[in-house]
């Protein structure tokens, strides 16, 4: 069994989608949800589905060994970032080379980098009158949003789309592709 830990800071709809995708898998198990926001809705989802959670503060994440110790003690093979907003500290990057995968809600290298998360991305894409956007699934390295790209998928933007409808289209792509790309990476 390959074990996944999902890191999320917000709603966690991708986390839930990934958990449901692997619920009956004999090869892949979502082991824990790691979360830096004690009121995040992802914790409610995890509770309802019955997945254990690890909740921590930013300070603890950066200055203690609790998170990496937990990952290693639980035998986590792969870390999935699904709407996780903190930078990953060096000790975790070093312990999981090419084993941390992030999803970004745009076509990197465009619309990446500092401040480019959640609705900020879709607003920027809308303002630039882009004709297309999409998702990028990539490995994480020390520079956020610059790790090797594993997969991208595109969707069209129509003239009457708003940042909200763009977000919906991007979410649909995320739900369709993210679990499958994780599965292919883990069991190929
Ligand atoms: C997703 O669009 C993901 O790409 C991004 O943050 C969003 C998280 O949504 N980085 P959710 O918490 O999975 O609903």
């Amino acid at each position: 069994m390959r074990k996944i830990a999902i890191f999320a800071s917000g709603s966690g709809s991708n986390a839930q989608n990934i958990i449901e995708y692997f619920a009956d898998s004999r090869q892949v198990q979502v082991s824990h949800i790691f979360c830096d926001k004690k009121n995040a809705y992802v914790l409610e989802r995890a509770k309802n589905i019955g997945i254990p959670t690890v909740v921590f503060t930013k300070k603890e994440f950066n200055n203690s060994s609790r998170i990496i110790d937990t990952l290693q003690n639980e035998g986590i093979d792969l870390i999935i970032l699904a709407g996780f907003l903190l930078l990953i500290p060096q000790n975790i990057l070093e312990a999981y080379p090419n084993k941390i995968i992030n999803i970004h809600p745009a076509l990197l290298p465009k619309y990446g980098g500092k401040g480019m998360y959640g609705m900020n991305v879709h607003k920027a894409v809308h303002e630039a009158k882009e004709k297309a956007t999409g998702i990028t699934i990539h490995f994480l390295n020390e520079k956020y949003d610059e790790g090797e790209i594993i997969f991208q998928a595109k969707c069209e933007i129509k003239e009457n789309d708003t940042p909200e409808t763009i977000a919906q289209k991007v979410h649909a792509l995320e739900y369709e592709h993210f679990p499958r790309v994780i599965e292919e990476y883990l069991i190929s």
Side-chain angles (χ1 to χ4, degrees):
M1 197 55 117
R2 314 300 304 278
K3 290 175 91 177
I4 298 178
I6 302 177
F7 282 58
S9 303
S11 159
S13 66
N14 275 285
Q16 178 160 355
N17 182 52
I18 295 165
I19 292 165
E20 285 168 358
Y21 183 89
F22 290 114
D24 298 324
S25 171
R26 289 168 180 219
Q27 286 165 297
V28 179
Q29 181 202 351
V30 177
S31 165
H32 286 73
I33 299 284
F34 285 70
C35 179
D36 62 309
K37 296 266 186 297
K38 65 178 191 315
N39 296 320
Y41 188 61
V42 69
L43 295 172
E44 198 66 33
R45 294 185 196 263
K47 196 171 150 197
N48 292 340
I49 310 172
I51 299 272
T53 57
V54 179
V55 183
F56 47 87
T57 62
K58 181 177 178 180
K59 199 172 159 196
E60 203 178 3
F61 190 46
N62 290 322
N63 301 314
S64 84
S65 63
R66 178 176 156 231
I67 309 307
I68 186 136
D69 291 347
T70 308
L71 290 166
Q72 291 179 332
N73 291 339
E74 296 290 343
I76 300 299
D77 297 294
L78 185 71
I79 296 173
I80 298 297
L81 309 181
F84 184 67
L85 297 181
L86 297 182
L87 284 173
I88 304 297
Q90 197 63 30
N91 61 344
I92 299 182
L93 287 170
E94 277 169 13
Y96 285 87
N98 275 354
K99 292 204 166 95
I100 306 177
I101 294 178
N102 183 42
I103 190 161
H104 186 77
L107 296 170
L108 291 175
K110 283 176 134 186
Y111 305 103
K114 208 170 162 45
M116 280 292 141
Y117 61 87
M119 285 308 291
N120 295 353
V121 176
H122 308 304
K123 282 181 189 152
V125 166
H126 183 251
E127 256 164 45
K129 302 199 186 327
E130 293 283 357
K131 297 272 178 286
T133 187
I135 59 168
T136 304
I137 298 172
H138 63 97
F139 289 115
L140 203 78
N141 66 16
E142 296 78 5
K143 294 210 175 141
Y144 240 67
D145 296 337
E146 287 183 27
E148 188 196 329
I149 291 176
I150 305 167
F151 177 85
Q152 290 187 304
K154 266 191 191 178
C155 58
E156 214 185 311
I157 301 176
K158 299 266 170 59
E159 249 174 49
N160 59 355
D161 268 317
T162 62
E164 288 70 27
T165 61
I166 294 172
Q168 281 169 14
K169 289 182 180 182
V170 168
H171 259 122
L173 286 180
E174 294 181 333
Y175 302 151
E176 181 185 350
H177 296 288
F178 202 13
R180 185 182 57 72
V181 170
I182 295 167
E183 182 173 43
E184 277 170 21
Y185 172 76
L186 272 177
I187 57 188
S188 64

